[in-house]
Each structure stands twice: as C-alpha cells, then as structure tokens.
Amino acid sequence: MPTNVLFFDSGVGGLSVLEAVRKLNPGFTYSYVFDNACFPYGELPSDFLIERVTSIVSDLVRRLSAGLAVIACNTASTVALPSLRSVLDIPVVGVVPALKPAASLTKTGVIGLLATPATVHRSYTQKLIDEFDRGCRIIRVGSSALVREAEKKLSGGMVDMDVMRHELAPFAEEPLTDVIVLGCTHFPHLRPEIESILPGRSLIDSGEAIARRVASLTGNAGAAGQGGTGEAFCTKSEPRLEGIRGVLRDMGLGELRIWEKGAL
Ligand code: DGL
C-alpha cells in the first residue's frame, strides 16, 4: 500500500508544491485539501488560522490514514506548525519562504520577498530574515491581489497584467533586486507573467526543497512504484470549481468533495 500524503492550502497554490513533490516521489498517493471557504488566508488573524488549519488537517489525516502532511501554504505554516505537530503523530512538513537560498544567490544584496500581507509581517518570517539575510536589504511586498490572479488563472481565467505590474512595481523600481523569493505557494503559478514583467531576476520557490524533504523523511520510498489516485477536498461549493476540476485531474487527483467537520 503506498503511503497517502495529504497536502493543504487555502486554494490552488499548494498544487505548485504537490507537482514538485510528486515528480521526485511518484510512488505515493497524494490527496489535496483547500479551504476556499476562508480564502484568502493572507488577510485573516493568526488565532483563527491556527484553529481552522489544525481542525481541517487533523480530521482528514485521520479519515485518510495519511502518513505525512504537507502544509503547502506559507501563511498557514508560519503560524500553525506548532499546533499541528502537537496534535498529529505523523511528520508535518511546512512550507516557508526560501530566504536562505536567496541570501546565498544574491549578488547585489537586495532580495525581494513576495508573499501574502500576513506572511511578510510575521515574526516567523522576521526570524528567518535575521537568521539568513547576512546583511541583505529585503524589499517586502504582500499581495492578496496576486493570490487572486493565480486562482483566476488556474480556474481558466485571464491574468490581468495591469494588476500584476501594479503589484510588482516595488521590485521594478529597485533594479538591484536580483533575487525574488516567491513566499506564497500561489505565485509559482504566475512565474511566466512575473518573468515577463521583471526579466533577468531569479525567482525562488520552495517546491524542490520540500520534495527533497519528503524524500528524506520517507527514506525515498516514494521514488518507486506507481502511486495511486488521491482525493481532493474543498470547504465550499462555488461555480469556479468547474474550472479547477480539470487541473486537479491533471495532478492525479480524483473526485472533488466538500469537507465539513464530521460530515464526509
Ligand atoms: N498559498 C498561500 C501561501 O502560501 C496562501 C494564499 C492566501 O490564501 O492568501 O501563503
């Protein structure tokens, strides 16, 4: 029986991490849950998020007998990991902004951090900066507008390039920003659009590092075998789910069901 790995995000962002993890570890069954009822997470208070994420993830880990959980959301990971780890007896992998590799890569010493409004201001993020920035200047941009553009794109809609240019202006105005950390899992889905507005900058996300972390935690057992079809869950029915279903299928996820505590 392949191990079931549960992924969590507020929306479709975490699929960027799932893609990287599945590529390196194709032998597992992957399930994905997104909390679209409370989307976007970047504008919600920490206490609410800790309660909410712990409740959804712990319930599904139990029902699916998941052997590993990946919190594919920087906004949730930067507050909810201690709570999740205190209630779950399986490994919980969190996704946090890739500031350490950014600090090794920058030549100018100016790093961009593109994340949600919550993540850019978190004390967890400040701790990462203090630990790794080696005296770099950090330009922080917190944007829910870009999170919405990524959702729109994956639901089959057109990305609004005016919105993209407006949100990315602080980086365009500081050409010394040579490395930009995509500190929200929605943003790798907008990589081509970001690259077209900010050519020549290195964009770093956490996908491959998380894939290697999963491989090391599982003893690389997921590298062999076929894996299975996992399930997808969301927390609210809405019309745009029709567009998302195709993307979920392409990621090897089957039926999309509505999660409600105690009612699956
Ligand atoms: N994808 C999420 C992250 O990595 C959250 C986006 C949101 O809901 O604001 O932070």
Side-chain angles (χ1 to χ4, degrees), residues 146-228:
L146 291 190
V147 177
R148 289 197 177 87
E149 289 304 314
E151 285 286 321
K152 209 202 299 172
K153 182 176 180 182
L154 267 75
S155 316
M158 287 275 289
V159 174
D160 186 332
M161 291 304 280
D162 288 338
V163 171
M164 296 287 307
R165 271 186 287 273
H166 179 265
E167 297 298 293
L168 297 172
F171 303 133
E173 284 158 12
E174 179 42 282
L176 284 177
T177 325
D178 60 345
V179 178
I180 298 174
V181 176
L182 303 181
C184 167
T185 55
H186 278 73
F187 298 158
H189 295 302
L190 297 171
R191 194 176 263 274
E193 290 82 1
I194 299 171
E195 278 168 349
S196 79
I197 294 168
L198 300 168
R201 320 288 178 101
S202 302
L203 306 180
I204 305 190
D205 65 58
S206 308
E208 281 173 22
I210 300 298
R212 288 193 298 272
R213 177 83 187 124
V214 169
S216 95
L217 279 170
T218 57
N220 218 14
Q226 294 302 306

Side-chain angles (χ1 to χ4, degrees), residues 37-161:
C38 293
F39 171 90
Y41 269 18
E43 291 166 16
L44 295 174
S46 305
D47 289 353
F48 174 83
L49 282 185
I50 294 169
E51 219 297 288
R52 177 86 182 161
V53 176
T54 307
S55 157
I56 298 173
V57 174
S58 57
D59 187 59
L60 279 172
V61 161
R62 188 176 47 79
R63 284 163 195 245
L64 301 172
S65 304
L68 183 77
V70 178
I71 308 307
C73 173
N74 295 259
T75 312
S77 294
T78 47
V79 283
L81 288 176
S83 160
L84 284 160
R85 288 179 176 143
S86 74
V87 298
L88 293 172
D89 55 4
I90 59 167
V92 180
V93 177
V95 177
V96 298
L99 285 154
K100 187 181 177 185
S104 320
L105 200 67
T106 180
K107 297 213 162 38
T108 61
V110 183
I111 296 173
L113 171 60
L114 181 60
T116 64
T119 300
V120 293
H121 293 118
R122 288 261 152 82
S123 54
Y124 190 105
T125 306
Q126 189 55 48
K127 222 179 77 208
L128 286 178
I129 291 172
D130 296 342
E131 214 171 319
F132 299 124
D133 77 355
R134 297 179 192 138
C136 296
R137 179 149 67 90
I138 312 283
I139 298 183
R140 305 172 198 223
V141 172
S143 174
S144 290
L146 291 190
V147 177
R148 289 197 177 87
E149 289 304 314
E151 285 286 321
K152 209 202 299 172
K153 182 176 180 182
L154 267 75
S155 316
M158 287 275 289
V159 174
D160 186 332
M161 291 304 280

